[in-house]
Amino acid sequence: MDFFNEMMDGGEVRVPYKHLQAWIDSHSQDEFRIKRAEAETIFRRIGITFAVYSESEGSTERLIPFDMMPRVFTEREWRKLERGIKQRARALNAFLWDVYHRREIIRAGRIPGELVYRNEAYEPSVIGVDPARGVYSHVVGIDLVRTGVDEFFVLEDNCRTPSGVSYMLENREIMMRLNPDLFRTARVLPVDDYPRALRRTLASVAPAKCEGAPTVVVLTPGSFNSAYYEHSFLADQMGAELVEGQDLFVDGDFVYMRTTRGPQRVDVIYRRIDDAFIDPLCFRPDSMLGVPGLMNVYRSGGVQICSAPGAGVADDKAIYTYVPEMIRFYLGEEPILQNVPTWRCGDADSLKYVLENLKDLVVKEVHGSGGYGMLVGPAATKEEIAAYASRIKADPADFIAQPTLALSTSPTFVDSGLAPRHVDLRPYCLVGKDIHLTPGGLTRVAMREGSLVVNSSQGGGVKDTWVVSGE
Amino acid sequence: MQITVEHTSTYRFESPRMRVVQSHKLTPASNGGQSVSDWDVSVDGASFGAGFRDGAGDNVCLMTLPGPVSEIAIRVKGSVTTEDTSGILMKHKEVVAPRVYLRSTWTTAPGIGLRALAQRVSSRKAGTLEGAHDLMGIVAEEIAYVPGSTHADMTAAEVEEQGRGVCQDQTHVLITLARILGMPARYVTGYLFADAEGNSHEASHAWAEIHVADLGWVGFDATNQCCPDDRYIRVCSGMDAQDAAPIRGISLGSGDESLDISVSVAAQQ
């Protein structure tokens, strides 16, 4: 398989990376080793760790490996991506409004009703509810892979609470702290406006009943959650309170936060807990994380929950295959970013093809996330493939399959020195009164040679992502 | 017929509770078969708010009570003028797509026994009014009405296995069977006025609604083997009994709680 090398084109350094090459040439490998150690110390000190879940070892906390070499886009490359990402974010929100209201796309026969109505993420209790400005997914994380100079594919959409944005911000900060010389000469577009943009987005979806400046809070499941660092980081950066379910209560038409100065009404909740745990009266009665009655207040228009409950139906892997259709249906436009060709194992013909070609395919659970429970055909043993095949046969509709993509590589500093490693990209698109995309995102990198799995839970690392202007 | 309802649910707590929060679906909506003239829900010391009409057309309201309380009495009082619509739900404002009610829940998951029962209806009748009537007949034959024979969170499959139950259980079995045949079905909670021979414990009642092409939602009372008429008041609905519960609540505190319900449903001349 041929892989697109983002830095090298034959023997030539590609334009976006020219500046970086000069910087690499002016430093020795030992200098990079020292810088890498410094970066690790800083990460440990500020406490960015994440929990890895494994059935055999239980949960362990670990640092995500940070790679010193940035991943670079030119502004021109980025502008095209930006148009495609914003287009997708608009279409996904239009779809969410539609499936909870008139269901035009189903009536028009463009998406099978079954796929929506029987989807676990489709939430009957919010049918007919009008979220502020009609927005359901306020932070859309779109996972992209690159396979050529002008070829990008969307791997998946994340419409609920995509995580990782704190790495985008911290990676940049650490890069600037360790390599100020690099930023003096390269014109890298800033990412540090993200927390302000997030706050502006959240404030712009305050409910109509809100009087004066909206009170925004970040709702976290608590410090045991793998993304707790990010929750507290974002709350701090936005100047919003970080709360747990027990800090909030409902009374009459509204939600209040307990404070030392007495109850304070809350208008917008940026929640980082799943739908199922939001309100024990509406969802799981055994949930201790949520706020009893919160869904009643939301549904009667007293508070905005971000992302809106039920938004997950748009990022389901079976729905994913219909996103290009959504773009055409709601926006009357052709998709700027392509989907990865996907076989839905629920279709008999596709199932047959998938089972016959497992060794070449990547198979995922429709409702899974984070790279857990997937099969990477080319890297799997015969036994693993046979075991996975019987899982697929037991419940075909729960699986989708995609070709193994030739993920592009970016130079990465590994033990043997600088070497190409495979990368993907998650930019964060904000949707409120306006649509905003910070020029950058989270680049994940497979640290192991030849590996195509970039998930942090599977040993992936992260890089700073640059958009350089004027080159 | 004009029907008056007095319904009191009294929760008693072994030790006092704080921060009681309840979501109520206690107020019926008017439709082609019932006109709700006056209706009142009251609880001493509680505040009400966040009222709205949900996508299924049910009135939802939130009750909060700071406590501490050792007893809460929810008093419902109202009157409704009803008409016989042969069980057809008419002019009921709702926006949920009927096919959403093909989903199964934990309580209404189909088992082998239930699938076998559904097979008794010939496939050409699936989706028709006749098929729905057949299903109601099957429930009557297979699930005997025996008060006290089940507990509140029994699944349809368990009920089918033991062959008896109360109106909640019969309704769960009926909606599960309908969904197996591809007919959207839901659980309805309401009141039934029963005359001198009627059973008083049925005053607070449950039945099924099955969606039939051309007719829309049609009520089927498996317990009484009939479609709801002007003796019935429809209060709210859901995917199953838990989803259609008129009161869902939570409070802070420990110890046992008991629930005492008194209902009187009377007809006025």
Side-chain angles (χ1 to χ4, degrees), chain B residues 118-150:
Chain B
Q119 293 311 314
R120 288 198 209 161
V121 177
S122 80
S123 57
R124 75 179 164 79
K125 284 193 199 166
T128 67
L129 186 65
E130 207 186 338
H133 277 285
D134 287 359
L135 288 176
M136 183 164 71
I138 290 170
V139 174
E141 279 167 34
E142 298 298 325
I143 316 295
Y145 181 82
V146 182
S149 59
T150 52

Side-chain angles (χ1 to χ4, degrees), chain A residues 78 85 140-144 425-429 437-438 440-442:
Chain A
W78 184 259
I85 292 162
V140 188
I142 293 181
D143 291 349
L144 293 161
L425 174 70
R426 175 182 286 184
Y428 299 86
C429 187
L437 184 68
T438 297
L442 178 67

